[in-house]
Amino acid sequence: MRRANREAEPQNPRNRYAGARRNADWTIDQDLPSYSAQEHDRWRRLYARQAKLLPGRACNAFLEAKTRLELSGDGIPDFALLSEKLSALTGWRVAPVAGLIPDDAFFDHLANRRFPAGAFIRPEAELDYLEEPDVFHDVFGHVPLLADPVYAQFLEAYGKGGRRALGRGQLHHLARLYWHTVEFGLIQSPGGLRIFGAGIMSSPAETIFSLEDSSPNRIGFDLERVMRTRYLIDDFQQTYFVIENFEKLLHACYQDFAPLYERLRAAPDIEAHALVEGDRIITKGDFHYFRAKGKAPASTA
Ligand code: HBI
Ligand code: FE
């Protein structure tokens, strides 16, 4: 039986699906009627704020896909409806989950062109920042690019690579690739740098910071370099990687990573702020933002 449309805020929005029946693959029923009016309104506000910032900042593929998918600004989207539109374009679907799911289940979904998306929406108190992926981050941030055929192929390949990396105990290297591209990647365009990473796409502050602030480094994408680079999970990135286009990203990753992992075993990690020989520097960060917070190491000064 479905719950009635609630006006009141759930006690703990994160656990709204705690009692829900979960399938073996960690998916759940989205239970669309259960979202409160406030929750739909929160989506509306998040959407409107971001939609205003993205023209001229998000890559064209994202903006076009957002239109083609008719991603709704009116309220939390119906995953089933969105899946129908998306699967007609690239075969990808959106699968509702309650929150973070185990790595193997996550990769299995991606490898089968299903994007696991958090069905809950962030609480009002965490409008600007939360660590767990909610429906705004996952659906607004990640889903549009899945309508791009080349990106769609890249993420499927990533899922397949994930299963292999898990087997080899080298998930941390692959996870960095995800972080520095799928979540926080920038892309070149004729008009200048643009955003494609979902972590940026769903954050108004990082949308501006990643493109316009003088603090971070912005350097050309290099697969091995990216896999060696540490990242921050609780603040803006100190280094953003810039791809030329999705074809080149796919091409760089469409290979057996086994020899690469062998080399990486012996290669030291690179700190989040560091520049190394061979970097194609697009902008060298002045780190003023991080230094003000006591975060930048002296060597970057
Ligand atoms: N689960 N729901 C969800 N979303 C993710 O992005 C996610 C996950 N589980 C594991 C996971 N990511 C990581 O394995 C990868 O990002 C490397
Ligand atoms: Fe994400």
Side-chain angles (χ1 to χ4, degrees):
M1 205 181 82
R2 303 209 137 190
R3 276 168 280 156
N5 197 351
R6 263 182 285 107
E7 288 305 310
E9 192 71 39
Q11 284 301 314
N12 182 348
R14 273 198 187 82
N15 287 336
R16 64 178 297 125
Y17 293 102
R21 197 180 65 84
R22 152 174 99 62
N23 301 308
D25 66 358
W26 292 83
T27 59
I28 56 165
D29 178 5
Q30 188 189 12
D31 195 9
L32 202 60
S34 77
Y35 294 112
S36 69
Q38 288 99 318
E39 289 181 310
H40 282 300
D41 184 63
R42 199 170 304 143
W43 169 280
R44 256 191 297 278
R45 283 180 285 129
L46 286 164
Y47 185 105
R49 185 167 73 164
Q50 219 33 27
K52 204 165 57 187
L53 287 175
L54 292 184
R57 293 196 178 93
C59 66
N60 276 336
F62 181 94
L63 295 171
E64 281 163 18
K66 201 164 127 301
T67 307
R68 282 174 85 193
L69 290 173
E70 303 166 294
L71 193 61
S72 170
D74 297 339
I76 298 170
D78 177 345
F79 287 19
L81 210 69
L82 190 56
S83 290
E84 288 315 307
K85 293 179 197 159
L86 186 57
S87 67
L89 296 170
T90 57
W92 274 83
R93 306 190 71 86
V94 186
V97 293
L100 283 170
I101 64 173
D103 293 334
D104 58 343
F106 181 69
F107 293 137
D108 219 66
H109 281 297
L110 298 186
N112 290 287
R113 297 207 174 199
R114 291 185 303 263
F115 193 82
F120 75 96
I121 191 155
R122 62 195 66 186
E124 196 66 38
E126 288 170 64
L127 210 59
D128 295 327
Y129 181 75
L130 85 170
E131 277 184 28
E132 303 150 284
D134 76 334
V135 63
F136 187 71
H137 169 78
D138 279 337
V139 173
F140 185 93
H142 283 287
V143 167
L145 280 181
L146 297 173
D148 180 276
V150 181
Y151 187 90
Q153 202 184 341
F154 167 71
L155 209 61
E156 176 194 339
Y158 179 85
K160 291 177 171 157
R163 296 196 291 211
R164 291 191 293 268
L166 265 181
R168 303 180 59 96
Q170 257 169 318
L171 188 59
H172 61 294
H173 285 129
L174 195 72
R176 287 174 184 163
L177 170 63
Y178 192 89
W179 189 269
H180 293 301
T181 59
V182 175
E183 294 293 357
F184 294 99
L186 300 179
I187 185 168
Q188 273 163 11
S189 88
L193 297 187
R194 296 285 187 269
I195 298 157
F196 79 92
I200 309 176
M201 215 59 94
S202 54
S203 158
E206 195 150 8
T207 292
I208 306 290
F209 181 87
S210 65
L211 290 174
E212 290 153 40
D213 202 280
S214 59
S215 292
N217 297 320
R218 297 177 185 86
I219 68 181
F221 175 87
D222 175 86
L223 181 61
E224 199 162 328
R225 185 347 170 159
V226 161
M227 286 193 172
R228 289 174 57 197
T229 308
R230 295 170 181 270
Y231 54 82
L232 310 181
I233 62 162
D234 60 349
D235 206 341
F236 300 141
Q237 298 304 297
Q238 296 189 340
T239 298
Y240 293 93
F241 290 93
V242 181
I243 66 166
E244 278 179 60
N245 53 52
F246 295 133
E247 284 81 5
K248 287 201 176 173
L249 176 64
L250 174 66
H251 184 75
C253 297
Y254 224 75
Q255 54 162 306
D256 181 5
F257 284 174
L260 179 57
Y261 289 147
E262 280 315 309
R263 284 203 297 283
L264 287 170
R265 267 182 214 288
D269 285 349
I270 300 170
E271 295 302 326
H273 67 274
L275 293 171
V276 297
E277 200 167 317
D279 280 346
R280 192 165 54 80
I281 299 171
I282 296 163
T283 54
K284 184 176 181 318
D286 66 19
F287 285 82
H288 74 269
Y289 165 84
F290 301 102
R291 215 180 290 114
K293 295 177 100 184
K295 276 189 181 173
S299 61
T300 61

